[in-house]
Amino acid sequence: MTPPGIGSSSPASQPRRWWIRQWPITLVLVLVGLSLVLIATDHFRRGSVLLAASVILAFFLRLMLPGSEAGYLVVRSRRVDVIVLGILGIGLGIFSLWVPAPS
């Protein structure tokens, strides 16, 4: 007996489908990378707010998408993932706005 999906399509299309299914984590990681670039270029507040927004986006994606579509955003149970991402996103948002602007 062969596992489902094997032999049903060409090998060239398998990696493409695998990356397409991982769009939630790819989107979040692109935003995290962009926020780190902003922070490195002396835009600390903008970068840290974008970092908080990317974690909050991960929170909403994990909350709304079913486990089969959330891809690598699924780490633990939905409840634990949502609680951890929510606390981290809100905490990062508060701290990024709390830090005084450079004078």
Side-chain angles (χ1 to χ4, degrees):
M1 176 176 233
T2 60
I6 294 184
S8 61
S9 62
S10 68
S13 66
Q14 288 292 337
R16 183 173 179 218
R17 276 197 234 144
W18 181 81
W19 284 105
I20 291 172
R21 286 193 317 247
Q22 299 305 324
W23 70 267
I25 192 70
T26 303
L27 178 63
V28 171
L29 289 177
V30 165
L31 290 176
V32 167
L34 183 61
S35 70
L36 293 177
V37 167
L38 284 173
I39 291 170
T41 58
D42 289 335
H43 298 289
F44 178 76
R45 177 150 310 172
R46 289 181 189 150
S48 59
V49 168
L50 182 60
L51 181 64
S54 64
V55 174
I56 291 171
L57 174 66
F59 164 82
F60 280 114
L61 288 173
R62 181 64 178 111
L63 182 66
M64 298 301 197
L65 292 174
S68 61
E69 292 182 25
Y72 286 145
L73 282 178
V74 178
V75 178
R76 295 161 295 268
S77 69
R78 180 185 304 254
R79 178 181 292 164
V80 173
D81 286 344
V82 167
I83 289 171
V84 169
L85 287 170
I87 291 171
L88 286 175
I90 292 171
L92 281 170
I94 290 170
F95 287 136
S96 67
L97 297 174
W98 193 345
V99 173
S103 51

